[in-house]
């Protein structure tokens, strides 16, 4: 497994939380937004995304609501207040880790 794959695996949940902190989104939209915002470097399949969304939902951080769009049901994910708190905690830990890594690398 390449280095970037390991980094991606470790940060996907944080990035999903970040996107949902801004707006409710459906799965495909989350995948596309991650790709677009990263200039298509950070690509994730829906098959890899949904276990993360289910885990966040089971923890009570995310809720789902269904909307009918062009005669199709679309499941939107909403970050609850507990999820916002969890996101802030993850973001703080991420920033501390990045800072420590930068120190080690001499940056």
């Amino acid at each position: 497994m390449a280095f970037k794959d390991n980094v991606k695996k470790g940060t996907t949940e944080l990035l999903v939380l970040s996107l949902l902190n801004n707006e409710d989104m459906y799965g495909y939209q989350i995948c596309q937004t991650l790709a677009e915002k990263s200039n298509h470097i950070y690509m994730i399949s829906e098959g890899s995304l949904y276990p993360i969304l289910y885990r966040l939902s089971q923890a009570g951080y995310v809720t789902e609501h269904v909307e009918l769009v062009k005669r199709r049901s679309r499941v939107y994910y909403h970050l609850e207040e507990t999820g916002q708190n969890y996101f802030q905690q993850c973001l703080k830990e991420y920033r501390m880790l990045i800072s420590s890594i930068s120190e080690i690398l001499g940056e």
Side-chain angles (χ1 to χ4, degrees), residues 3-96:
F3 177 76
K4 75 175 185 171
D5 293 332
N6 285 326
V7 172
K8 185 167 102 173
K9 185 176 180 182
T11 56
T12 302
E13 183 175 281
L14 174 66
L15 297 176
V16 169
L17 289 166
S18 176
L19 293 178
L20 293 177
N21 192 50
N22 295 324
E23 65 178 303
D24 293 359
M25 301 177 98
Y26 54 95
Y28 180 75
Q29 181 183 19
I30 293 170
C31 293
Q32 292 302 304
T33 303
L34 285 173
E36 289 169 10
K37 287 188 174 227
S38 69
N39 294 317
H40 298 274
I41 292 172
Y42 202 103
M43 307 282 286
I44 182 172
S45 69
E46 290 177 76
S48 296
L49 172 66
Y50 284 109
I52 294 167
L53 291 171
Y54 295 143
R55 188 172 57 251
L56 292 171
S57 180
Q58 289 292 318
Y61 300 140
V62 170
T63 54
E64 306 169 4
H65 63 276
V66 178
E67 291 185 20
L68 191 62
V69 179
K70 295 182 183 177
R71 300 190 318 179
R72 289 185 52 200
S73 294
R74 187 175 281 167
V75 178
Y76 282 83
Y77 296 88
H78 173 77
L79 191 63
E80 294 295 333
E81 185 175 341
T82 56
Q84 291 170 356
N85 294 336
Y86 177 63
F87 167 60
Q88 292 302 320
Q89 174 190 341
C90 291
L91 187 58
K92 181 180 177 182
E93 290 176 18
Y94 171 79
R95 287 181 173 148
M96 286 180 2

